[in-house]
Amino acid sequence: PNLTRYVAMRALVMLAITTALLIAPASLRADNAAATPSFFEQAFLNAQGGNPCYARAYDDAHLKDHGTQTVRAIEIEMSKDNASDIPNTHERFELGFGLKVKKSNDWFTGVAICSAGGDEANCFIEGDGGRFRLSPAAGGAVKLETGDYGIALEGEKDFMSISGRDGDDRVFVLPPAPRAECEVATENQKRPQP
């Protein structure tokens, strides 16, 4: 009788220890996941005071080495307050988007509507401007990958498009930049008010 009780107690203790060891790592992973900011929080909501700018300009040497690249400069930016008065959340946030191409000194701009999930955000540019995906890159930069249909934007005097399938205008790594670099691109961009 005592031996049976001892074996039963030992089995119960072993079961409790095994259960604790299986549950603890899962709860630790959940705590760590909750403590790690999402891509949207890191790159946009909490970056540069909630008004982040990511920009890159390509010099003549780079453009010479990448003969099929037409983009000379590109930027994306988010403002805490949108002209639409819709708050930015990971489910829906607005970005100013601008680029310059070799054939023009003008900025071509648009507004992108994005939705973030996990380590990426998927965006579309209003007015059938195209789609792109954002993801984290080294050094706090953001990687922008155009969609298969490319990007098309209107400028003040002209229209431009870049291919989503051919050339060197499909992937851009945009480092954090001073806000003034993005504001230059979108200073003339006005959103229509409803």
Side-chain angles (χ1 to χ4, degrees), residues 112-144:
I113 308 299
C114 305
S115 178
D119 283 341
E120 68 178 27
N122 290 295
C123 306
F124 71 90
I125 301 171
E126 288 183 334
D128 294 329
R131 295 185 173 277
F132 59 90
R133 183 175 63 233
L134 300 170
S135 59
V142 171
K143 182 167 73 169
L144 185 152

mmCIF file of all heavy atoms in Angstrom, residues 112-144:
data_model
loop_
_atom_site.group_PDB
_atom_site.id
_atom_site.type_symbol
_atom_site.label_atom_id
_atom_site.label_comp_id
_atom_site.label_asym_id
_atom_site.label_seq_id
_atom_site.Cartn_x
_atom_site.Cartn_y
_atom_site.Cartn_z
ATOM 1 N N ALA A 112 -0.309 56.815 -50.575
ATOM 2 C CA ALA A 112 -0.421 55.359 -50.486
ATOM 3 C C ALA A 112 -1.229 54.993 -49.247
ATOM 4 O O ALA A 112 -1.044 55.586 -48.190
ATOM 5 C CB ALA A 112 0.966 54.725 -50.422
ATOM 6 N N ILE A 113 -2.111 54.034 -49.399
ATOM 7 C CA ILE A 113 -2.890 53.486 -48.291
ATOM 8 C C ILE A 113 -2.313 52.100 -48.006
ATOM 9 O O ILE A 113 -2.211 51.266 -48.908
ATOM 10 C CB ILE A 113 -4.390 53.367 -48.632
ATOM 11 C CG1 ILE A 113 -4.942 54.694 -49.167
ATOM 12 C CG2 ILE A 113 -5.172 52.862 -47.425
ATOM 13 C CD1 ILE A 113 -4.861 55.856 -48.207
ATOM 14 N N CYS A 114 -1.922 51.881 -46.748
ATOM 15 C CA CYS A 114 -1.212 50.660 -46.396
ATOM 16 C C CYS A 114 -1.902 49.902 -45.267
ATOM 17 O O CYS A 114 -2.643 50.495 -44.473
ATOM 18 C CB CYS A 114 0.208 50.996 -45.944
ATOM 19 S SG CYS A 114 1.150 51.961 -47.136
ATOM 20 N N SER A 115 -1.593 48.622 -45.193
ATOM 21 C CA SER A 115 -2.039 47.762 -44.108
ATOM 22 C C SER A 115 -0.860 46.880 -43.713
ATOM 23 O O SER A 115 -0.254 46.242 -44.572
ATOM 24 C CB SER A 115 -3.213 46.897 -44.568
ATOM 25 O OG SER A 115 -3.612 46.026 -43.540
ATOM 26 N N ALA A 116 -0.532 46.892 -42.427
ATOM 27 C CA ALA A 116 0.630 46.141 -41.949
ATOM 28 C C ALA A 116 0.194 44.880 -41.219
ATOM 29 O O ALA A 116 -0.816 44.869 -40.514
ATOM 30 C CB ALA A 116 1.472 47.008 -41.013
ATOM 31 N N GLY A 117 0.973 43.836 -41.395
ATOM 32 C CA GLY A 117 0.766 42.583 -40.690
ATOM 33 C C GLY A 117 2.098 41.878 -40.566
ATOM 34 O O GLY A 117 2.817 41.746 -41.555
ATOM 35 N N GLY A 118 2.461 41.489 -39.370
ATOM 36 C CA GLY A 118 3.754 40.834 -39.177
ATOM 37 C C GLY A 118 4.888 41.776 -39.489
ATOM 38 O O GLY A 118 4.901 42.924 -39.059
ATOM 39 N N ASP A 119 5.824 41.317 -40.318
ATOM 40 C CA ASP A 119 7.004 42.106 -40.663
ATOM 41 C C ASP A 119 6.903 42.753 -42.035
ATOM 42 O O ASP A 119 7.912 42.914 -42.725
ATOM 43 C CB ASP A 119 8.261 41.232 -40.611
ATOM 44 C CG ASP A 119 8.718 40.995 -39.179
ATOM 45 O OD1 ASP A 119 8.311 41.767 -38.301
ATOM 46 O OD2 ASP A 119 9.472 40.043 -38.952
ATOM 47 N N GLU A 120 5.704 43.135 -42.452
ATOM 48 C CA GLU A 120 5.574 43.815 -43.732
ATOM 49 C C GLU A 120 4.300 44.643 -43.767
ATOM 50 O O GLU A 120 3.427 44.510 -42.913
ATOM 51 C CB GLU A 120 5.592 42.830 -44.898
ATOM 52 C CG GLU A 120 4.381 41.930 -44.970
ATOM 53 C CD GLU A 120 4.433 40.996 -46.175
ATOM 54 O OE1 GLU A 120 5.536 40.662 -46.653
ATOM 55 O OE2 GLU A 120 3.361 40.600 -46.632
ATOM 56 N N ALA A 121 4.230 45.497 -44.768
ATOM 57 C CA ALA A 121 3.026 46.280 -45.025
ATOM 58 C C ALA A 121 2.772 46.248 -46.518
ATOM 59 O O ALA A 121 3.713 46.323 -47.321
ATOM 60 C CB ALA A 121 3.191 47.717 -44.542
ATOM 61 N N ASN A 122 1.528 46.118 -46.892
ATOM 62 C CA ASN A 122 1.143 46.142 -48.295
ATOM 63 C C ASN A 122 0.409 47.442 -48.556
ATOM 64 O O ASN A 122 -0.485 47.826 -47.793
ATOM 65 C CB ASN A 122 0.263 44.933 -48.630
ATOM 66 C CG ASN A 122 1.077 43.661 -48.603
ATOM 67 O OD1 ASN A 122 1.975 43.486 -49.414
ATOM 68 N ND2 ASN A 122 0.791 42.784 -47.665
ATOM 69 N N CYS A 123 0.785 48.116 -49.639
ATOM 70 C CA CYS A 123 0.284 49.452 -49.924
ATOM 71 C C CYS A 123 -0.211 49.548 -51.359
ATOM 72 O O CYS A 123 0.287 48.866 -52.242
ATOM 73 C CB CYS A 123 1.404 50.482 -49.741
ATOM 74 S SG CYS A 123 2.225 50.414 -48.130
ATOM 75 N N PHE A 124 -1.173 50.456 -51.584
ATOM 76 C CA PHE A 124 -1.563 50.818 -52.937
ATOM 77 C C PHE A 124 -1.592 52.333 -53.023
ATOM 78 O O PHE A 124 -1.902 53.023 -52.062
ATOM 79 C CB PHE A 124 -2.911 50.198 -53.330
ATOM 80 C CG PHE A 124 -4.100 50.789 -52.627
ATOM 81 C CD1 PHE A 124 -4.782 51.881 -53.167
ATOM 82 C CD2 PHE A 124 -4.546 50.254 -51.424
ATOM 83 C CE1 PHE A 124 -5.885 52.419 -52.507
ATOM 84 C CE2 PHE A 124 -5.643 50.799 -50.770
ATOM 85 C CZ PHE A 124 -6.313 51.888 -51.317
ATOM 86 N N ILE A 125 -1.217 52.839 -54.175
ATOM 87 C CA ILE A 125 -1.203 54.272 -54.409
ATOM 88 C C ILE A 125 -2.549 54.659 -54.997
ATOM 89 O O ILE A 125 -3.007 54.054 -55.972
ATOM 90 C CB ILE A 125 -0.052 54.671 -55.349
ATOM 91 C CG1 ILE A 125 1.286 54.245 -54.739
ATOM 92 C CG2 ILE A 125 -0.065 56.179 -55.615
ATOM 93 C CD1 ILE A 125 2.467 54.387 -55.670
ATOM 94 N N GLU A 126 -3.177 55.660 -54.382
ATOM 95 C CA GLU A 126 -4.496 56.101 -54.841
ATOM 96 C C GLU A 126 -4.455 56.469 -56.320
ATOM 97 O O GLU A 126 -3.426 56.870 -56.852
ATOM 98 C CB GLU A 126 -4.948 57.311 -54.025
ATOM 99 C CG GLU A 126 -5.324 56.963 -52.605
ATOM 100 C CD GLU A 126 -5.832 58.174 -51.834
ATOM 101 O OE1 GLU A 126 -5.460 59.320 -52.181
ATOM 102 O OE2 GLU A 126 -6.597 57.970 -50.887
ATOM 103 N N GLY A 127 -5.619 56.344 -56.975
ATOM 104 C CA GLY A 127 -5.731 56.709 -58.383
ATOM 105 C C GLY A 127 -5.083 55.704 -59.310
ATOM 106 O O GLY A 127 -4.533 56.068 -60.343
ATOM 107 N N ASP A 128 -5.123 54.433 -58.951
ATOM 108 C CA ASP A 128 -4.523 53.369 -59.769
ATOM 109 C C ASP A 128 -3.034 53.574 -59.998
ATOM 110 O O ASP A 128 -2.508 53.276 -61.067
ATOM 111 C CB ASP A 128 -5.252 53.240 -61.115
ATOM 112 C CG ASP A 128 -6.683 52.767 -60.948
ATOM 113 O OD1 ASP A 128 -6.941 52.022 -59.987
ATOM 114 O OD2 ASP A 128 -7.539 53.143 -61.764
ATOM 115 N N GLY A 129 -2.344 54.062 -58.970
ATOM 116 C CA GLY A 129 -0.908 54.327 -59.081
ATOM 117 C C GLY A 129 -0.033 53.102 -58.928
ATOM 118 O O GLY A 129 1.170 53.173 -59.141
ATOM 119 N N GLY A 130 -0.604 51.989 -58.534
ATOM 120 C CA GLY A 130 0.174 50.769 -58.378
ATOM 121 C C GLY A 130 0.247 50.309 -56.936
ATOM 122 O O GLY A 130 -0.324 50.924 -56.035
ATOM 123 N N ARG A 131 0.951 49.220 -56.728
ATOM 124 C CA ARG A 131 1.096 48.614 -55.399
ATOM 125 C C ARG A 131 2.570 48.450 -55.070
ATOM 126 O O ARG A 131 3.404 48.331 -55.950
ATOM 127 C CB ARG A 131 0.434 47.235 -55.362
ATOM 128 C CG ARG A 131 -1.050 47.271 -55.559
ATOM 129 C CD ARG A 131 -1.662 45.874 -55.398
ATOM 130 N NE ARG A 131 -3.097 45.957 -55.420
ATOM 131 C CZ ARG A 131 -3.849 46.256 -54.365
ATOM 132 N NH1 ARG A 131 -3.289 46.471 -53.208
ATOM 133 N NH2 ARG A 131 -5.159 46.327 -54.457
ATOM 134 N N PHE A 132 2.852 48.409 -53.755
ATOM 135 C CA PHE A 132 4.193 48.072 -53.306
ATOM 136 C C PHE A 132 4.123 47.451 -51.927
ATOM 137 O O PHE A 132 3.117 47.562 -51.226
ATOM 138 C CB PHE A 132 5.137 49.285 -53.332
ATOM 139 C CG PHE A 132 4.712 50.451 -52.484
ATOM 140 C CD1 PHE A 132 5.109 50.561 -51.157
ATOM 141 C CD2 PHE A 132 3.933 51.465 -53.020
ATOM 142 C CE1 PHE A 132 4.743 51.646 -50.373
ATOM 143 C CE2 PHE A 132 3.558 52.562 -52.252
ATOM 144 C CZ PHE A 132 3.964 52.653 -50.929
ATOM 145 N N ARG A 133 5.200 46.750 -51.570
ATOM 146 C CA ARG A 133 5.296 46.092 -50.268
ATOM 147 C C ARG A 133 6.482 46.699 -49.520
ATOM 148 O O ARG A 133 7.534 46.953 -50.100
ATOM 149 C CB ARG A 133 5.483 44.592 -50.430
ATOM 150 C CG ARG A 133 5.521 43.868 -49.079
ATOM 151 C CD ARG A 133 5.580 42.366 -49.198
ATOM 152 N NE ARG A 133 6.795 41.943 -49.867
ATOM 153 C CZ ARG A 133 6.825 41.146 -50.929
ATOM 154 N NH1 ARG A 133 5.728 40.685 -51.450
ATOM 155 N NH2 ARG A 133 7.969 40.808 -51.487
ATOM 156 N N LEU A 134 6.303 46.923 -48.228
ATOM 157 C CA LEU A 134 7.360 47.436 -47.361
ATOM 158 C C LEU A 134 7.746 46.367 -46.356
ATOM 159 O O LEU A 134 6.883 45.647 -45.849
ATOM 160 C CB LEU A 134 6.874 48.678 -46.605
ATOM 161 C CG LEU A 134 6.442 49.866 -47.448
ATOM 162 C CD1 LEU A 134 5.750 50.911 -46.577
ATOM 163 C CD2 LEU A 134 7.629 50.464 -48.167
ATOM 164 N N SER A 135 9.034 46.294 -46.050
ATOM 165 C CA SER A 135 9.519 45.368 -45.030
ATOM 166 C C SER A 135 10.773 45.975 -44.398
ATOM 167 O O SER A 135 11.383 46.884 -44.966
ATOM 168 C CB SER A 135 9.805 43.996 -45.637
ATOM 169 O OG SER A 135 10.760 44.093 -46.666
ATOM 170 N N PRO A 136 11.162 45.474 -43.219
ATOM 171 C CA PRO A 136 12.351 46.036 -42.571
ATOM 172 C C PRO A 136 13.625 45.679 -43.326
ATOM 173 O O PRO A 136 13.721 44.622 -43.948
ATOM 174 C CB PRO A 136 12.348 45.394 -41.183
ATOM 175 C CG PRO A 136 11.368 44.296 -41.210
ATOM 176 C CD PRO A 136 10.518 44.440 -42.417
ATOM 177 N N ALA A 137 14.595 46.588 -43.282
ATOM 178 C CA ALA A 137 15.922 46.360 -43.864
ATOM 179 C C ALA A 137 16.957 46.744 -42.810
ATOM 180 O O ALA A 137 16.624 47.343 -41.781
ATOM 181 C CB ALA A 137 16.092 47.180 -45.142
ATOM 182 N N ALA A 138 18.200 46.421 -43.060
ATOM 183 C CA ALA A 138 19.278 46.673 -42.101
ATOM 184 C C ALA A 138 19.405 48.160 -41.769
ATOM 185 O O ALA A 138 19.116 49.019 -42.604
ATOM 186 C CB ALA A 138 20.599 46.147 -42.667
ATOM 187 N N GLY A 139 19.833 48.440 -40.551
ATOM 188 C CA GLY A 139 20.111 49.807 -40.146
ATOM 189 C C GLY A 139 18.892 50.685 -39.967
ATOM 190 O O GLY A 139 18.991 51.903 -40.070
ATOM 191 N N GLY A 140 17.735 50.074 -39.739
ATOM 192 C CA GLY A 140 16.515 50.861 -39.563
ATOM 193 C C GLY A 140 15.897 51.327 -40.867
ATOM 194 O O GLY A 140 14.937 52.095 -40.872
ATOM 195 N N ALA A 141 16.432 50.857 -41.992
ATOM 196 C CA ALA A 141 15.892 51.227 -43.307
ATOM 197 C C ALA A 141 14.625 50.421 -43.592
ATOM 198 O O ALA A 141 14.292 49.465 -42.884
ATOM 199 C CB ALA A 141 16.932 50.978 -44.391
ATOM 200 N N VAL A 142 13.930 50.824 -44.635
ATOM 201 C CA VAL A 142 12.730 50.138 -45.094
ATOM 202 C C VAL A 142 12.966 49.707 -46.540
ATOM 203 O O VAL A 142 13.456 50.495 -47.355
ATOM 204 C CB VAL A 142 11.503 51.081 -45.010
ATOM 205 C CG1 VAL A 142 10.287 50.465 -45.677
ATOM 206 C CG2 VAL A 142 11.197 51.429 -43.568
ATOM 207 N N LYS A 143 12.636 48.452 -46.836
ATOM 208 C CA LYS A 143 12.749 47.948 -48.213
ATOM 209 C C LYS A 143 11.395 48.103 -48.892
ATOM 210 O O LYS A 143 10.370 47.687 -48.352
ATOM 211 C CB LYS A 143 13.195 46.485 -48.221
ATOM 212 C CG LYS A 143 13.364 45.934 -49.631
ATOM 213 C CD LYS A 143 14.090 44.602 -49.671
ATOM 214 C CE LYS A 143 13.250 43.489 -49.170
ATOM 215 N NZ LYS A 143 13.833 42.160 -49.439
ATOM 216 N N LEU A 144 11.396 48.716 -50.066
ATOM 217 C CA LEU A 144 10.189 48.908 -50.854
ATOM 218 C C LEU A 144 10.313 48.070 -52.119
ATOM 219 O O LEU A 144 11.283 48.219 -52.862
ATOM 220 C CB LEU A 144 10.034 50.394 -51.203
ATOM 221 C CG LEU A 144 8.762 50.817 -51.930
ATOM 222 C CD1 LEU A 144 8.436 52.263 -51.588
ATOM 223 C CD2 LEU A 144 8.852 50.646 -53.433
#
